Amino acid sequence: MLVDSFGRVATDLRVSLTDRCNLRCSYCMPPEGLDWLPKPDLLTADEICRLVAVGVERLGITEVRYTGGEPLLRRELPEIVARTAALRPRPRLSITSNGIGLARLAAPLAAAGLDRVNVSLDTLDRDTFVRLAHRDRLADVLAGLAAAAEAGLRPVKINTVLMRGVNEHEAAPLLRHCLEHGYELRFIEQMPLDAQHGWRREGMVTADEILAELGRAFSLTPDDPAARGSAPAEIFLVDGGPARVGVIGSVTRPFCGACDRVRLTADGQIRNCLFATEESDLRGAMRAGASDDELAERWTAAVRGKRAGHGIDDPGFLQPARPMSAIGG
Ligand code: SAM
Ligand code: SF4
C-alpha cells in the first residue's frame, strides 16, 4: 500500500496523459501556450499502462483518473482506458476533460470501459468563454457534455473555477443549468498553479463568497459530512435536495489531512501532492530496465515523503515549478 508518514493511504491515482491543451484558460496557462514536453519525454501508451498496472495490482490503487493538459488530445485514450478497465481488481475509471471532442469520443470511451467524466465549464456565455479560454469553443463543450450523459458516463460532474471580474456572477446560472441537465456541479477555488505565476490571494473568489452568492438564489444545507470521506468537495443540498452542489475550498478550507491522491505526470514522474516541489522519476527507472518490484518500491518511497499539507499559507510557500497542466489536475 502507498502510505505516508502521517498514515494517509493513497488509493486515487491521477495520470496526466499530455501537458498539451486546445484551450488557454487564464487561471492555467498563458494565451500563447507553453513549451510543451518533447515527444520522447512523454510516456508511451505501453509505459502508462504498465505503471498503472503496478499501481493497481501491487499498490492498492482503486481509482484511476486520466487528465492533463487535455486527455482527449491523446489518440490512444480509448486503448489506454480499455487496458485499464481490464486490470484486476478493476479500478474505477474516469477522465477530467475540457469536453472538446467528447461529442465524438464519449460513446467509444464508454464502450472501452470509462465510468465517468469530469468536465470543466466556467461560463455559459460565449464571449466570456472566449475571454477566459482564448478559444471560441463553448458550443463544443456543451455538445460534449450532452454526449457524455447520453453515453451513460454518469454522474457527469462539472468543475468550475470562478475568477473575479470575469465569471464570478455566473455561480447561480451555472448551478441552475447543471440542475436542469442533471449534472453535478463543483466550484473549485483558484489555486496558485498557473504557468504565469499570476495567482494572487486577493484575486481569488473564496468558498465563502461562492456560498454567499449561491445562497442568494438557492437554499443550501450542508450534506452529511460523514459522507464526504476523502472527497475534496464540501457538498450542499440545494433547496432541500436531492439536488446537490459541491465547493472545493482548496486554499481557504484545505483537506490535506484526508488526501488520498497521488499523481503521475505525462513524463513519468510521481508527485505525492499537487504542490510538491519534488518528483520521483519512474520513467528513467523504467527505461533503464527496472522491474515492476523496483518501480513499486520507488513509488512507495515517493509517497512516504508526502508533506502534511500544501502550505499555501506558510510564509515560505513556493509555487511548484510545474503548472497544473503539466502536473495533471
Ligand atoms: N484540461 C482538462 C480540464 O480542464 O478539465 C483537464 C486538466 S485541468 C488542469 C483539470 C482541472 O484543473 C480543471 O477542472 C481546471 O479547471 C482546474 N484548474 C486548472 N488550473 C487551476 C487553478 N489554477 N486553480 C484551480 N483549478 C484549476
Ligand atoms: Fe486546458 Fe484544462 Fe488548463 Fe483549461 S484548465 S487550459 S482546458 S488544461
Side-chain angles (χ1 to χ4, degrees):
M1 286 210 304
L2 294 167
V3 191
D4 67 33
S5 62
F6 301 93
R8 293 169 297 189
V9 182
T11 53
D12 182 343
L13 172 62
R14 309 276 161 109
V15 183
S16 174
L17 295 183
T18 174
D19 59 331
R20 288 170 189 260
C21 191
N22 41 12
L23 292 183
R24 300 284 185 271
C25 305
S26 48
Y27 49 73
C28 185
M29 59 173 82
E32 65 275 16
L34 298 168
D35 291 332
W36 312 119
L37 289 166
K39 187 137 192 262
D41 287 5
L42 290 182
L43 294 180
T44 64
D46 282 344
E47 288 172 334
I48 292 165
C49 292
R50 177 173 173 202
L51 290 178
V52 171
V54 168
V56 169
E57 292 170 348
R58 293 166 188 256
L59 298 172
I61 294 295
T62 56
E63 180 113 30
V64 178
R65 175 170 309 172
Y66 291 114
T67 177
E70 179 43 50
L72 297 184
L73 292 180
R74 187 89 194 223
R75 260 182 309 111
E76 313 99 317
L77 179 61
E79 175 205 331
I80 293 171
V81 164
R83 290 171 69 178
T84 311
L87 295 173
R88 293 294 174 269
R90 184 195 189 284
R92 286 187 298 277
L93 196 41
S94 59
I95 58 169
T96 298
S97 162
N98 62 27
I100 297 170
L102 204 50
R104 183 174 54 85
L105 282 165
L109 287 172
L114 192 69
D115 297 318
R116 274 200 324 95
V117 291
N118 277 43
V119 176
S120 301
L121 176 70
D122 299 322
T123 177
L124 294 166
D125 178 76
R126 184 172 168 187
D127 292 337
T128 308
F129 190 97
V130 174
R131 184 172 164 211
L132 209 153
H134 297 96
R135 300 285 187 273
D136 189 5
R137 307 298 296 268
L138 175 62
D140 298 301
V141 177
L142 296 177
L145 278 166
E150 176 71 27
L153 297 170
R154 292 167 196 266
V156 172
K157 292 194 179 174
I158 308 270
N159 293 343
T160 298
V161 177
L162 293 178
M163 296 188 76
R164 208 175 288 295
V166 182
N167 62 340
E168 62 183 323
H169 56 286
E170 286 199 65
L174 277 163
L175 177 53
R176 206 164 287 119
H177 179 89
C178 290
L179 296 179
E180 279 166 18
H181 289 81
Y183 307 148
E184 280 187 23
L185 175 61
R186 298 159 344 145
F187 293 94
I188 309 176
E189 276 180 348
Q190 188 188 351
M191 295 179 276
L193 285 171
D194 57 312
Q196 316 86 300
H197 290 221
W199 181 91
R200 298 286 172 276
R201 179 176 275 276
E202 319 77 72
M204 179 189 73
V205 181
T206 64
D208 283 350
E209 289 175 286
I210 297 165
L211 289 169
E213 181 67 22
L214 290 176
R216 282 189 265 280
F218 304 93
S219 102
L220 301 182
T221 357
D223 197 8
D224 178 6
R228 182 176 178 188
S230 57
E234 284 177 68
I235 303 291
F236 297 83
L237 299 176
V238 182
D239 293 339
R244 301 175 342 145
V245 63
V247 178
I248 304 183
S250 330
V251 178
T252 63
R253 302 175 177 203
F255 37 84
C256 303
C259 178
D260 63 355
R261 276 164 282 278
V262 58
R263 293 180 151 80
L264 176 63
T265 65
D267 56 350
Q269 313 296 305
I270 289 290
R271 292 181 72 96
N272 57 27
C273 173
L274 266 179
F275 293 93
T277 46
E278 283 169 17
E279 301 179 337
S280 174
D281 180 18
L282 292 193
R283 183 196 65 198
M286 185 164 48
R287 290 185 183 172
S291 67
D292 284 356
D293 278 345
E294 285 160 348
L295 293 171
E297 231 164 77
R298 269 182 178 249
W299 192 335
T300 310
V303 170
R304 204 176 300 125
K306 179 163 167 156
R307 284 182 299 164
H310 57 44
I312 294 175
D313 284 324
D314 297 351
F317 173 72
L318 278 183
Q319 179 168 340
R322 296 232 243 183
M324 185 82 137
S325 57
I327 297 167

